[in-house]
Amino acid sequence: IKGVTKDVNIARISAMGVSDQPGIAFRLFSLLAKHKVSVDIILQSVGRDGTQDISFTVASKDADEVVRLLEDTLGLKSVICDPNVAKVSIVGAGMETHAGVASRMFEALGEANINIQMIATSEIKISVLIAEEEANKAVAAIHRSFYGE
């Protein structure tokens, strides 16, 4: 692990009651792309009763526009915006080949009594979405776990 980072300038958007059909994710995210909105962490629920929920993060400055776009164009049951979130990440090369890195991060957060709302991974990064007020505590807990006091 080369570093621990945080980003508090994000918001979580939850599109509730999205039609569970092929192409719906394309419609949603292409709409945002047309409006130059970048999306980060994406989580899609298992479909039920013909619908699903899709949650994702955007820059705080784009949150109101995203809510308006989704409410006006996709006929969703509801769109929920939570601006009080933070993304905390660990970054480093080769994390996918080192067993236990994610577990160690999650253990540090659990021991600090910090709830994880969403998780995203890549070859060089593991990110979690948490409550914004816990961002500094999370960074400190993760740093201690990987680097000691």
Side-chain angles (χ1 to χ4, degrees), residues 25-44:
F26 165 73
R27 285 180 50 213
L28 190 156
F29 293 110
S30 67
L31 172 67
L32 300 180
K34 286 177 189 172
H35 287 86
K36 308 287 190 242
V37 174
S38 295
V39 174
D40 190 12
I41 300 174
I42 301 171
L43 176 67
Q44 178 177 311

Side-chain angles (χ1 to χ4, degrees), residues 43-141:
L43 176 67
Q44 178 177 311
S45 71
V46 174
R48 63 191 178 290
D49 300 324
T51 67
Q52 60 190 348
D53 302 331
I54 300 177
S55 295
F56 53 93
T57 60
V58 297
S60 296
K61 66 178 180 56
D62 296 327
D64 290 339
E65 178 185 13
V66 169
V67 170
R68 183 188 54 76
L69 286 169
L70 296 182
E71 287 177 340
D72 291 349
T73 59
L74 291 181
L76 305 173
K77 287 184 182 175
S78 67
V79 179
I80 300 167
C81 177
D82 183 355
N84 301 310
V85 295
K87 178 176 68 172
V88 175
S89 304
I90 55 174
V91 182
M95 285 196 288
E96 66 183 1
T97 60
H98 288 81
V101 174
S103 174
R104 193 166 169 185
M105 178 185 190
F106 302 155
E107 178 182 33
L109 295 171
E111 288 177 352
N113 201 33
I114 297 171
N115 188 47
I116 298 171
Q117 300 175 16
M118 296 171 75
I119 301 169
T121 64
S122 73
E123 295 88 14
I124 63 165
K125 181 170 72 169
I126 301 171
S127 298
V128 295
L129 197 70
I130 62 171
E132 182 178 16
E133 68 267 9
E134 296 184 316
N136 289 335
K137 183 169 84 168
V139 168

